[in-house]
Amino acid sequence: MADLSTDFLGIKSPNPFWLASAPPTDKEYNVVRAFKAGWGGVVWKTLGLDPHVVNVNGPRYGAVWGADRRLLGLNNIELITDRPLDVNLREIKQVKRDWPDRAMVVSLMVPCEEVCWKEILAKVEDTGADGIELNFGCPHGMSERGMGSAVGQVPEYIEMVTRWCKQNTRMPVIVKLTPNITDIRYPARAANAGGADAVSLINTISSITSVNLDTFSPEPSIDGKGSHGGYCGPAVKPIALNMVAEIARDPETHGLPISGIGGVTTWRDAAEFMALGAGTVQVCTAAMTYGFKIVEELKSGLSQYLDEQGMAMTDLVGRAVPNVTDWQYLNLNYVTKARIDQDACIKCGRCYAACEDTSHQAISMSEDRVFEVIDAECVACNLCVNVCPVDGCITMEELAPGAMDERTGREVEPDYANWTTHPNNPGRVEAAE
């Protein structure tokens, strides 16, 4: 089995799978159960100095399900820990003492005053924790108090608080970024400028998942009222992957270590985050959905993949980053066409309906419901592949530029042989003189 041991900022763990700061990491009991199940580390649920944090006693979660009631996303309105600070600190110290080989990172959120950060940093350092994560991402409850994403949306504040923390602790400082911002590169750059050892992302997305059409209250509903909360789970993975990639390929943050978060449910999800630059991955919703033992599948799947590829885990991290580019650099000479496997086709007609009604009328249907691609009309949009219910039935085949459609005798795609590549943009072509 491939070696999954991880060294992230000098924080060692037996594997890169950490539990994210959330309800599963709120107390010693849960964390010990997680470590017994095989998790490589945890980020302890966010601690604060405010003794008046009170969570709601009604529903805390809203949900979005797929057609088979598979959980696609969770919306939560829970605040940071409401347990006494001294109890949390005592438990962190005990767990780290009992499990010295596991990563113990502590999430923190206090007001933007240096004295507050100095106070809590000293307390956490005394526990022997491996590092801290600055929670600049929480979009509800605490943000209204000038913390969480209220800080994470202002790069100047991120840099300021990060610098305070670096000046007042020996522990590695990880800055957790909010996705509730237009361009993730600016807060990442601010964290880097402040001396952050790493960033983690994404935190939850501000959201309302549903409205009860009987009571007309957003869900979850507390005595007839609802509030925006933080959205997480498989549905946010594409957003998280993009933001991780943006930081990994930005010249100003290139090389800044990343802990990837957002919808990690399978080993493939984890491998994708790592290929885009994440050195560790943090998991929450999957553990809350399936229990802590899901880590066994994550570990075995990643190990088998690495063995099959003949790669070490360090070879995987960042491997896809060079292939992420801006649209204008895409190769316009690249041509593909859809191909339908007639043996696999179940004749449902979804590809035909989608293409005929909403795309390019590039699929024909015979009287006996045989569906074929009309190459001359196909623009390779890939819609048919995505709506087909049979995996692998429709695929995309690469063709040489200027190829002819044998059925129509028409050119499949304009022939770029007489075009020249723009010298300042390899993906842009223009007519030669």
Side-chain angles (χ1 to χ4, degrees):
M1 299 292 286
D3 180 14
L4 297 183
S5 60
T6 303
D7 186 333
F8 188 75
L9 311 178
I11 302 172
K12 293 180 171 57
S13 57
N15 62 70
F17 300 109
W18 297 1
L19 283 172
S21 169
T25 62
D26 192 29
K27 60 173 74 76
E28 179 180 5
Y29 177 85
N30 301 78
V31 173
V32 169
R33 282 182 62 84
F35 285 165
K36 287 180 178 178
W39 290 86
V42 300
V43 182
W44 200 277
K45 187 176 179 183
T46 307
L47 309 183
L49 292 172
D50 185 354
H52 305 299
V53 173
V54 179
N55 275 294
V56 296
N57 288 315
R60 299 182 184 183
Y61 303 106
V64 174
W65 298 279
D68 58 356
R69 202 171 165 81
R70 182 172 65 92
L71 188 67
L72 300 180
L74 274 181
N75 166 294
N76 88 86
I77 59 171
E78 185 165 311
L79 303 181
I80 66 175
T81 184
D82 52 12
R83 304 170 69 235
L85 178 60
D86 62 333
V87 173
N88 275 299
L89 294 171
R90 184 171 64 250
E91 291 182 359
I92 291 168
K93 185 173 185 176
Q94 185 62 51
V95 174
K96 184 58 187 176
R97 182 180 299 165
D98 294 341
W99 298 85
D101 66 324
R102 308 302 171 94
M104 173 64 75
V105 177
V106 180
S107 177
L108 301 176
M109 181 193 294
V110 297
C112 281
E113 301 173 16
E114 187 173 7
V115 62
C116 296
W117 286 99
K118 288 182 67 173
E119 178 181 349
I120 200 164
L121 286 170
K123 294 177 182 294
V124 172
E125 196 164 300
D126 286 343
T127 67
D130 297 307
I132 57 170
E133 184 180 79
L134 312 186
N135 186 341
F136 294 157
C138 184
H140 59 274
M142 304 308 293
S143 58
E144 291 88 331
R145 309 182 194 192
M147 293 178 275
S149 63
V151 178
Q153 291 168 338
V154 184
E156 293 81 5
Y157 291 174
I158 294 174
E159 181 177 350
M160 175 181 70
V161 177
T162 303
R163 184 168 285 113
W164 288 343
C165 292
K166 285 298 296 179
Q167 291 171 347
N168 287 285
T169 184
R170 59 163 179 79
M171 297 178 290
V173 175
I174 304 170
V175 175
K176 190 172 187 179
L177 302 177
T178 177
N180 301 296
I181 195 164
T182 305
D183 192 332
I184 196 66
R185 293 175 300 175
Y186 292 103
R189 290 170 183 173
N192 196 38
D197 297 288
V199 292
S200 60
L201 69 154
I202 59 173
N203 209 313
T204 53
I205 300 170
S206 187
S207 63
I208 292 177
T209 51
S210 61
V211 175
N212 186 310
L213 293 179
D214 293 320
T215 63
F216 298 100
S217 169
E219 299 285 4
S221 180
I222 306 297
D223 194 24
K225 301 289 184 182
S227 174
H228 70 278
Y231 192 52
C232 58
V236 311
K237 175 190 159 189
I239 299 168
L241 286 176
N242 176 62
M243 291 188 170
V244 166
E246 286 295 281
I247 294 171
R249 71 189 187 99
D250 181 10
E252 296 190 36
T253 52
H254 180 71
L256 180 65
I258 299 171
S259 185
I261 315 169
V264 176
T265 307
T266 68
W267 71 264
R268 284 186 173 274
D269 299 329
E272 290 172 17
F273 272 94
M274 298 178 80
L276 288 174
T280 65
V281 290
Q282 297 184 32
V283 181
C284 174
T285 306
M288 295 176 73
T289 305
Y290 303 109
F292 285 153
K293 288 192 175 180
I294 192 176
V295 73
E296 295 176 0
E297 297 179 21
L298 298 176
K299 291 191 298 181
S300 62
L302 182 60
S303 291
Q304 182 174 339
Y305 168 75
L306 292 173
D307 284 342
E308 291 173 350
Q309 296 294 319
M311 285 194 299
M313 195 165 59
T314 52
D315 298 327
L316 174 61
V317 176
R319 189 150 183 167
V321 175
N323 295 325
V324 183
T325 188
D326 294 329
W327 191 96
Q328 65 264 30
Y329 300 125
L330 298 177
N331 182 9
L332 299 185
N333 292 305
Y334 182 74
V335 179
T336 61
K337 298 296 172 186
R339 293 288 178 259
I340 301 173
D341 182 344
Q342 299 299 335
D343 292 332
C345 180
I346 61 174
K347 303 184 185 303
C348 67
R350 286 174 64 176
C351 62
Y352 173 79
C355 189
E356 190 72 14
D357 289 351
T358 69
S359 195
H360 291 81
Q361 299 75 53
I363 297 179
S364 65
M365 178 177 68
S366 68
E367 291 184 359
D368 56 348
R369 295 183 69 82
V370 173
F371 301 95
E372 294 183 316
V373 176
I374 305 170
D375 281 356
E377 304 300 335
C378 177
V379 300
C381 69
N382 207 37
L383 177 62
C384 57
V385 176
N386 291 315
V387 301
C388 179
V390 180
D391 186 30
C393 178
I394 307 179
T395 55
M396 303 304 293
E397 177 186 355
E398 182 181 356
L399 300 181
M404 303 298 291
D405 182 352
E406 294 180 358
R407 295 174 56 219
T408 65
R410 293 169 55 187
E411 190 176 342
V412 168
E413 196 74 8
D415 188 349
Y416 294 114
N418 295 319
W419 289 37
T420 182
T421 301
H422 191 282
N424 296 325
N425 190 337
R428 177 182 173 187
V429 292
E430 56 187 23
E433 292 294 336

